[in-house]
Amino acid sequence: MSLSIQELAKQAEQTLSGMGATVTVAMDEVTVEIPLDNIIDACLLLRDEDELSFEQLIDLCGVDYSEYGDVAWQGARYAVVYHLLSIKHNQRIRIRTFVDDEFPVIPSVIDVWSAANWFEREAFDLYGILFEGHPDLRRILTDYGFVGHPFRKDFPLSGNVEMRYDEEKKRVIYQPVTIEARINVPRVIRDDHRYETAESGE
């Protein structure tokens, strides 16, 4: 039988007591914030505890909070977010863990959920978050020679190089941009009398 959202939050809080977990409920969803040092132990408990049984990882992603909301973000810049599914209890839960700003490293959860493999590679590629213990941590969406991590909020939107496949070298190469950079914001300047009243036109 499925637990209610409040019951699920209470059960998660009890299961993770002593780990520094913070459990919140918003929009009928349960979010558990776990300190970095306890992430693996917490994931194992969420998976193996019979009352929870979150046996499936359905998503894992990075988040850059550097420009979050209307005011300056207080706290760590990067986080890793896990979305878990309990098929047994028909429940979902979210886990969030913050990592160091300068050198974002977090243990891999591949040994807990094997589905984490490509998700962790994606978070590494797009955010530069390193997953310690990952068996094959390399880029998955960008080119092998790509510089930077494009989902970071400070990643430049335009650049001076472009990439193309070179038939002779049989690989992707980078070269200076061959088109002139321009701003594609339309400017319309004209005399337009459509909005004048009949009286003003007389």
Side-chain angles (χ1 to χ4, degrees), residues 12 16 21-24 29-36 38-47 52 54 56-63 65 79-85 92-98 106 109 112-113:
L16 302 174
T22 303
V23 181
T24 57
E29 295 182 351
V30 178
T31 301
V32 181
E33 192 169 310
I34 300 286
L36 178 61
N38 296 329
I39 185 62
I40 296 297
D41 292 337
C43 287
L44 287 169
L45 281 172
L46 290 169
R47 184 193 69 181
L52 296 171
F54 287 101
Q56 187 172 358
L57 172 72
I58 57 176
D59 190 27
L60 181 158
C61 64
V63 181
Y65 284 100
V80 177
V81 178
Y82 309 79
H83 290 93
L84 309 179
L85 172 66
R92 294 173 188 253
I93 199 168
R94 177 187 299 111
I95 306 172
R96 180 174 65 174
T97 303
F98 286 96
I106 188 170
V109 295
V112 183
W113 300 286

Side-chain angles (χ1 to χ4, degrees), residues 40 105-111 117 120 130-137:
I40 296 297
V105 180
I106 188 170
S108 171
V109 295
I110 284 182
D111 290 338
N117 192 324
E120 290 180 348
L130 299 172
F131 292 85
E132 199 169 40
H134 191 289
D136 187 23
L137 193 62

Side-chain angles (χ1 to χ4, degrees), residues 11 36 49-50 52 60 67 72 78-79 82 86 102 123 128 136 146 150 159-160 169 175 177 202:
Q11 183 63 53
L36 178 61
E49 192 70 25
D50 190 58
L52 296 171
L60 181 158
E67 296 179 16
Y78 300 110
Y82 309 79
S86 171
E102 297 299 320
D136 187 23
F146 192 87
N160 300 315
K169 296 181 180 179
Q175 63 187 34
V177 173
E202 292 176 353

Side-chain angles (χ1 to χ4, degrees), residues 2-12 23-31 90-92:
S2 299
L3 298 172
S4 70
I5 295 299
Q6 295 299 331
E7 289 172 333
L8 174 60
K10 185 176 180 180
Q11 183 63 53
V23 181
T24 57
V25 177
M27 308 284 291
D28 287 333
E29 295 182 351
V30 178
T31 301
N90 190 28
Q91 292 282 5
R92 294 173 188 253

Side-chain angles (χ1 to χ4, degrees), residues 65-161:
Y65 284 100
S66 62
E67 296 179 16
Y68 181 80
D70 297 330
V71 295
W73 175 257
Q74 302 297 320
R77 174 179 175 178
Y78 300 110
V80 177
V81 178
Y82 309 79
H83 290 93
L84 309 179
L85 172 66
S86 171
I87 299 172
K88 179 178 180 180
H89 299 299
N90 190 28
Q91 292 282 5
R92 294 173 188 253
I93 199 168
R94 177 187 299 111
I95 306 172
R96 180 174 65 174
T97 303
F98 286 96
V99 296
D100 182 69
D101 290 3
E102 297 299 320
F103 193 55
V105 180
I106 188 170
S108 171
V109 295
I110 284 182
D111 290 338
V112 183
W113 300 286
S114 60
N117 192 324
W118 282 17
F119 290 138
E120 290 180 348
R121 285 180 59 189
E122 182 181 58
F124 161 68
D125 192 0
L126 301 179
Y127 291 94
I129 298 170
L130 299 172
F131 292 85
E132 199 169 40
H134 191 289
D136 187 23
L137 193 62
R138 57 193 166 95
R139 292 185 182 273
I140 192 171
L141 297 176
T142 60
D143 178 60
Y144 297 124
F146 192 87
V147 177
H149 304 284
F151 274 20
R152 289 188 175 187
K153 300 269 178 80
D154 55 4
F155 188 80
L157 296 180
S158 62
N160 300 315
V161 296

